[in-house]
Amino acid sequence: MSSGIVVVSVEYRIDRRSGVPAFQQIVKQTKQAMRLGVLVPGDRLPTAKEVAETSAVNPNTTLKAYRELEREGLVEPRPGQGTFVRRTLGRPETGTDSPLYAELVAWMSKAAGAGLEQEDVAALVASATEKQYAAGTTAATRSTTTGPTGATTTRSTGE
């Protein structure tokens, strides 16, 4: 029996060596999933208990992240039901099915083929992003977008 609720299983990847607090990593990864269209309005986020089980973070860490997202108007808690996405951050050109994403994946493949490691690629992307957006410009030629969310997601309907 389907309740009509879309449940999105998000597995957050917490990098404990990054120096970035876990709750901020959850906020960032959730926003990235919203930008990429992985999370859309009406989707239910995983419970704090589910995140604790899959990501080994204290449930209060997840609740802190969800409160931050709520303050920003991105999610809303529904007592007894969970936390739901209220609005999207995505645009059609930021989805994983967009031509820009396909170009980025092809470029990443070339970079890997040239022997660059993940950290090398991240440095290049960060440098190009800074150069493109430092003066507040939007893409006159080509803009660089960030890659996948850092979170593993699975979408299913019902319970």
Side-chain angles (χ1 to χ4, degrees), residues 12 14 16 22-24 26-27 45-68 83:
Y12 295 101
I14 305 303
R16 300 193 190 302
F23 89 93
Q24 288 178 344
I26 292 170
V27 168
L45 297 178
T47 65
K49 181 181 176 185
E50 290 166 345
V51 175
E53 290 170 356
T54 60
S55 303
V57 296
N58 186 303
N60 289 327
T61 299
T62 303
L63 294 173
K64 184 175 181 178
Y66 287 4
R67 281 193 303 272
E68 176 66 27
T83 301

Side-chain angles (χ1 to χ4, degrees), residues 105-122:
V105 169
W107 180 87
M108 295 261 179
S109 181
K110 278 187 190 175
L116 296 180
E117 294 183 10
Q118 185 174 347
E119 292 81 12
D120 301 324
V121 171

Side-chain angles (χ1 to χ4, degrees), residues 44-150:
R44 182 176 64 80
L45 297 178
T47 65
K49 181 181 176 185
E50 290 166 345
V51 175
E53 290 170 356
T54 60
S55 303
V57 296
N58 186 303
N60 289 327
T61 299
T62 303
L63 294 173
K64 184 175 181 178
Y66 287 4
R67 281 193 303 272
E68 176 66 27
L69 292 164
E70 181 185 6
R71 274 193 292 278
E72 294 182 29
L74 298 174
V75 301
E76 66 178 336
R78 296 181 194 162
Q81 295 181 12
T83 301
F84 292 81
V85 176
R86 288 187 63 196
R87 66 182 179 92
T88 185
L89 294 173
R91 300 179 189 162
E93 56 276 351
T94 62
T96 56
D97 58 347
S98 77
L100 288 174
Y101 182 80
E103 287 178 31
L104 182 59
V105 169
W107 180 87
M108 295 261 179
S109 181
K110 278 187 190 175
L116 296 180
E117 294 183 10
Q118 185 174 347
E119 292 81 12
D120 301 324
V121 171
L124 283 172
V125 170
S127 177
T129 301
E130 179 64 29
K131 181 178 181 181
Q132 179 64 39
Y133 294 99
T137 60
T138 54
T141 55
R142 222 182 266 251
S143 67
T144 304
T145 60
T146 56
T149 67

Side-chain angles (χ1 to χ4, degrees), residues 7-27:
V7 179
V8 180
S9 176
V10 180
E11 187 176 321
Y12 295 101
R13 294 188 187 133
I14 305 303
D15 181 357
R16 300 193 190 302
R17 297 171 298 181
S18 72
V20 176
F23 89 93
Q24 288 178 344
Q25 292 181 54
I26 292 170
V27 168

